[in-house]
Amino acid sequence: MAWRRRPETPCEIVVKEILVSSDAGPECAEACPTGALRVEGGRLVADPGLCVACIACMALCGPGRVRVLTDWRCPGGESVEAG
Ligand code: SF4
């Protein structure tokens, strides 16, 4: 097996989308450290641009109610679907 050299710039995870189901309540935003998932006017609002993919919201509410879709951005433009 050939070893690959570690890239000088590591891949980074990027958030593509935050899916919020209709039965997700305001409590799902309580664990969010960045405000990417927050309550505005009594509704859950998702802002993928603020999300750091910590998945605390998914741990709190379950992936059936809140799901963070991520991808990898790697040097050279490679992109690998992460989930
Ligand atoms: S993954 Fe983390 S930062 Fe992103 S919305 Fe969920 S709790 Fe907030």
Side-chain angles (χ1 to χ4, degrees):
M1 180 171 122
W3 291 94
R4 277 199 244 169
R5 194 169 60 90
R6 177 186 288 231
E8 290 177 17
T9 305
C11 297
E12 61 180 346
I13 198 163
V14 292
V15 176
K16 294 191 302 186
E17 192 174 358
I18 302 172
L19 303 177
V20 179
S21 74
S22 58
D23 62 340
E27 71 279 5
C28 297
E30 289 176 10
C32 184
T34 66
L37 193 63
R38 60 186 180 275
V39 179
E40 284 183 7
R43 291 184 48 239
L44 264 184
V45 175
D47 182 348
L50 295 176
C51 180
V52 294
C54 69
I55 68 167
C57 54
M58 289 173 62
L60 181 66
C61 283
R65 296 204 291 161
V66 179
R67 188 175 190 104
V68 178
L69 302 180
T70 58
D71 203 352
W72 290 99
R73 185 182 304 134
C74 298
E78 296 172 47
S79 182
V80 180
E81 187 80 20

